[in-house]
Amino acid sequence: MEDIKYVFDVKKDDFVRAGETSSKVKKILRELGIDSSIIRKISIAAYEAEMNIVIHSTGGQIVLEITPGVIRITANDRGPGIADVELAMKEGYSTATDRVREMGFGAGMGLPNMKRCSDRLYVTSSEGTGTHIVIEVDLKAGEQGE
Amino acid sequence: MKICEVKEVLNAELLCGDELLENEVSYAFGSDLMSDVLAFVKGKTLLLTGLTNQQVVRTAEMADLSAIVFVRGKKPGEDIVQLATEKDIALLLTRDTMYTASGKLYSNGLEGVSID
């Protein structure tokens, strides 16, 4: 299998479209015949990352990369960035607004959920520069599809 | 429990997913917090919720859930029914509260998700 890369734009505050990118990611992985438990993990992690861009940032991109051993989701946004990444990783910590909470998000589970669904999670962020998240899930033999 | 049995136990209205009525659910999970659904739900699970926005259907899609019960008589908009139809997710509507609906399903043998 050759390396495959897709790039999707994600808009801020677009709660109607929120989830469409993760839906596309899921469809691509399904068409490649990737193992369903791997698809589920990637879809959930991508969805949390996508919701974070919609909720917290001024917009950004989700990148899907499929290589023979690893599926990688990269989420880049243009800011405002996370002041304390360690604190944001704690379950229950959130800076979301009431509007976001009314939709069932903003419970401080986003980054912990991404960690739970990945083999490796890298978060780099600082105030003013935006947030860069890399989610990696390993593919073993038999899970890779065609 | 089959989705058609869930419908009967809760005296629920089917909003979409006629062709999914014979599908089985093994567990149920009741929550208005979608991130908790994403964190804790595995396998063939029925979601009970009082939220009626697009993100409920998106959450079900990402977590591979095949049916959602809206409790407290909360009816979702047509756009949400449309999205669920596209994603092969059955939507049911009951007038029962979350507590009552959960109790009825549990006493009919549908267990909850275990949190590890």
Side-chain angles (χ1 to χ4, degrees), chain A residues 15 18-20 22-23 26 40 44 47-48 51 102-105 107 109 113 116, chain B residues 32-36 38-39 41-42 51 53-55 58-59 61-64 87:
Chain A
F15 291 105
E20 273 186 11
S22 311
S23 185
K26 185 168 192 173
R40 189 175 175 282
I44 290 174
Y47 183 44
E48 289 282 14
M51 287 306 288
E102 280 163 19
M103 288 190 308
F105 284 86
M109 294 295 283
N113 270 355
R116 197 177 269 130
Chain B
D32 287 352
L33 262 183
M34 293 303 113
S35 278
D36 275 4
L38 294 169
V41 170
K42 291 180 201 82
L51 281 189
N53 60 54
Q54 297 254 7
Q55 301 317 320
R58 289 291 183 198
T59 297
E61 180 192 0
M62 300 313 154
D64 292 333
K87 303 298 173 189

Side-chain angles (χ1 to χ4, degrees), chain A residues 110-136:
Chain A
L111 286 170
N113 270 355
M114 287 178 222
K115 190 169 187 191
R116 197 177 269 130
C117 287
S118 61
D119 289 306
R120 284 167 302 282
L121 174 72
Y122 307 101
V123 183
T124 27
S125 185
S126 59
E127 275 185 300
T129 59
T131 300
H132 177 73
I133 295 175
V134 180
I135 298 153
E136 290 187 342

Side-chain angles (χ1 to χ4, degrees), chain A residues 76-109:
Chain A
N76 295 314
D77 69 47
R78 294 186 283 272
I82 303 169
D84 186 338
V85 173
E86 205 180 318
L87 189 58
M89 287 299 298
K90 275 178 68 177
E91 286 192 8
Y93 178 80
S94 177
T95 58
T97 60
D98 286 347
R99 185 185 169 209
V100 170
R101 289 172 203 268
E102 280 163 19
M103 288 190 308
F105 284 86
M109 294 295 283

Side-chain angles (χ1 to χ4, degrees), chain A residues 35-95:
Chain A
D35 182 82
S36 62
S37 67
I38 302 281
I39 295 180
R40 189 175 175 282
K41 279 162 64 170
I42 290 280
S43 303
I44 290 174
Y47 183 44
E48 289 282 14
E50 183 181 0
M51 287 306 288
N52 269 2
I53 294 177
V54 174
I55 292 166
H56 296 290
S57 83
T58 55
Q61 282 184 331
I62 298 262
V63 181
L64 165 67
E65 288 169 282
I66 304 151
T67 70
V70 175
I71 299 182
R72 185 180 303 110
I73 294 283
T74 307
N76 295 314
D77 69 47
R78 294 186 283 272
I82 303 169
D84 186 338
V85 173
E86 205 180 318
L87 189 58
M89 287 299 298
K90 275 178 68 177
E91 286 192 8
Y93 178 80
S94 177
T95 58

Side-chain angles (χ1 to χ4, degrees), chain B residues 16-69:
Chain B
C16 68
D18 262 329
E19 69 291 356
L20 304 169
L21 282 172
E22 290 299 311
N23 287 10
E24 288 271 349
V25 285
S26 307
Y27 305 97
F29 189 84
S31 182
D32 287 352
L33 262 183
M34 293 303 113
S35 278
D36 275 4
V37 177
L38 294 169
F40 300 123
V41 170
K42 291 180 201 82
K44 294 181 174 179
T45 304
L46 176 75
L47 172 63
L48 292 100
T49 187
L51 281 189
T52 55
N53 60 54
Q54 297 254 7
Q55 301 317 320
V56 176
V57 176
R58 289 291 183 198
T59 297
E61 180 192 0
M62 300 313 154
D64 292 333
L65 309 184
S66 60
I68 302 167
V69 175

